[in-house]
Amino acid sequence: MSERIKGVMAAGLTAFNDDLSIDVQGTLDHSKWLLANGCDGVLLFGTTGEANSLSLKERLDFLDVLGGSGMPMNKLMIGTGCCALPDTVELTKKTLEIGIESALMLPPFYYKNPSDDGLFAHFARVIEAVGDDRMKVYLYHFPQMSAVPFSHDLIGRFLKEFPGVFCGIKDSSGDFANMKAMAETFDGFDVFAGTERYLLDTLKAGGVGTITATGNCTSSLCGAVYAAWKAGAPDMEGLQEQLTAQRLALQNYPAAAGLKELLARESGKASWRNVRAPFLPLPKEKADALVADMAKVNWQLPALAA
């Protein structure tokens, strides 16, 4: 098994062609750029990657190409959690087949208010059906979107019954108290803040980093904060303050559309604006406001290729 990914991870965007098919090469190129500009890893097929707007076949076909791309598989994580257990199993098996061990799993989220016993049964069956000791499962806690949270009792049960399988969590709840409590309670369980706003606080609490949507456009500064924390540098607080300001500005806009607008402007590649419905590209007035807001917080992006 490879070492666990820790530090800064962007929840990578999925690039689309003008016909809204996946721009596979564009998505891969962006992932490579993220790894070269502050990221220790990249999550593909997360919320910001519009995963739930992609078919199972599209995701499997993408993974086939990814497997032959020469990218460092030990720095990648794939979102494999679906409502249907067989889909989760198939995606996770394909992820492992191409050499990626880290899988981020949403709970089965369509049916609301499931019991902890029901959620435990779902994940237990996934693990049994995948049947691969290399698998590293990361829970995706995003109750605002999934409406299905992971309780601490359930996490403790996972860790007891499946030692070495459940490796961590992406907490996108925005509740830092919950992130801190998990980092302090569960030894060897890697807590990632779902926003770089809490990157430094999470590290100080015993967490391991961030997996963040806006990291698509703040990766370099995220990386600077992480490096400063590892080195014990005196400027870590100031860097985090600047990073927080950029995150707060970005989160006033729809994530996928806003981030893609910035990438389109910086790269000159208009197709970056393509999103799948129900998302829509930002109207020009709102796009201009986003650019103005980012200028106010001294946002800059390393050069992008068109």
Side-chain angles (χ1 to χ4, degrees):
M1 295 178 67
S2 64
E3 292 185 4
R4 297 183 188 181
I5 307 170
K6 297 183 180 183
V8 174
M9 297 185 68
L13 293 159
T14 300
F16 292 111
N17 298 306
D18 289 341
D19 64 359
L20 296 186
S21 61
I22 297 176
D23 177 358
V24 175
Q25 191 58 53
T27 303
L28 295 178
D29 287 345
H30 180 60
S31 299
K32 293 174 185 175
W33 178 86
L34 288 168
L35 290 173
N37 288 279
C39 284
D40 301 285
V42 175
L43 163 69
L44 295 168
F45 299 158
T47 302
T48 311
E50 301 175 67
N52 288 298
S53 297
L54 306 176
S55 70
L56 178 62
K57 183 179 186 304
E58 284 179 309
R59 286 182 270 185
L60 292 170
D61 288 347
F62 179 93
L63 290 175
D64 278 330
V65 178
L66 176 60
S69 68
M71 289 193 66
M73 300 297 157
N74 63 327
K75 294 186 177 182
L76 301 178
M77 181 182 291
I78 304 297
T80 67
C82 303
C83 285
L85 188 147
D87 291 350
T88 298
V89 170
E90 190 170 359
L91 270 175
T92 305
K93 283 185 173 180
K94 176 63 72 172
T95 294
L96 288 159
E97 178 186 310
I98 67 170
I100 298 174
E101 297 172 357
S102 300
L104 181 72
M105 293 189 188
L106 282 164
F109 54 84
Y110 180 77
Y111 298 109
K112 308 310 179 193
N113 301 312
S115 65
D116 277 3
D117 285 344
L119 291 173
F120 183 87
H122 170 84
F123 281 93
R125 288 169 184 165
V126 168
I127 291 163
E128 180 182 3
V130 173
D132 193 319
D133 291 340
R134 295 174 298 159
M135 178 171 51
K136 298 184 179 78
V137 175
Y138 293 82
L139 302 173
Y140 192 1
H141 179 69
F142 199 178
Q144 294 94 319
M145 292 290 283
S146 70
V148 180
F150 290 104
S151 71
H152 289 202
D153 286 345
L154 180 59
I155 293 170
R157 189 175 172 189
F158 285 147
L159 295 175
K160 179 181 178 181
E161 297 296 328
F162 300 102
V165 176
F166 287 87
C167 295
I169 192 165
K170 178 184 191 287
D171 187 341
S172 294
S173 67
D175 180 359
F176 176 69
N178 187 60
M179 302 174 208
K180 184 174 186 289
M182 289 189 295
E184 293 174 346
T185 301
F186 301 117
D187 290 338
F189 187 67
D190 294 344
V191 176
F192 287 91
T195 165
E196 64 268 49
R197 178 182 182 181
Y198 296 126
L199 172 55
L200 187 56
D201 286 341
T202 298
L203 293 168
K204 289 180 177 180
V208 300
T210 184
I211 304 174
T212 172
T214 45
N216 285 279
C217 290
T218 64
S219 60
S220 293
L221 188 51
C222 287
V225 171
Y226 185 59
W229 173 78
K230 287 196 296 182
D235 62 344
M236 70 175 84
E237 299 287 353
L239 289 168
Q240 178 63 61
E241 185 177 343
Q242 182 183 355
L243 179 59
T244 297
Q246 293 185 4
R247 166 71 190 209
L248 292 176
L250 284 165
Q251 69 185 36
N252 289 323
Y253 297 85
L259 296 166
K260 286 184 168 183
E261 175 64 33
L262 292 175
L263 293 179
R265 294 200 181 201
E266 292 291 320
S267 68
K269 183 179 177 181
S271 63
W272 260 125
R273 295 187 175 91
N274 295 332
V275 289
R276 283 194 177 176
F279 296 149
L280 294 170
L282 292 185
K284 186 176 186 307
E285 181 179 336
K286 199 161 189 176
D288 289 344
L290 169 60
V291 171
D293 284 349
M294 296 311 294
K296 293 174 186 175
V297 292
N298 300 313
W299 176 75
Q300 291 181 316
L301 200 66
L304 289 169

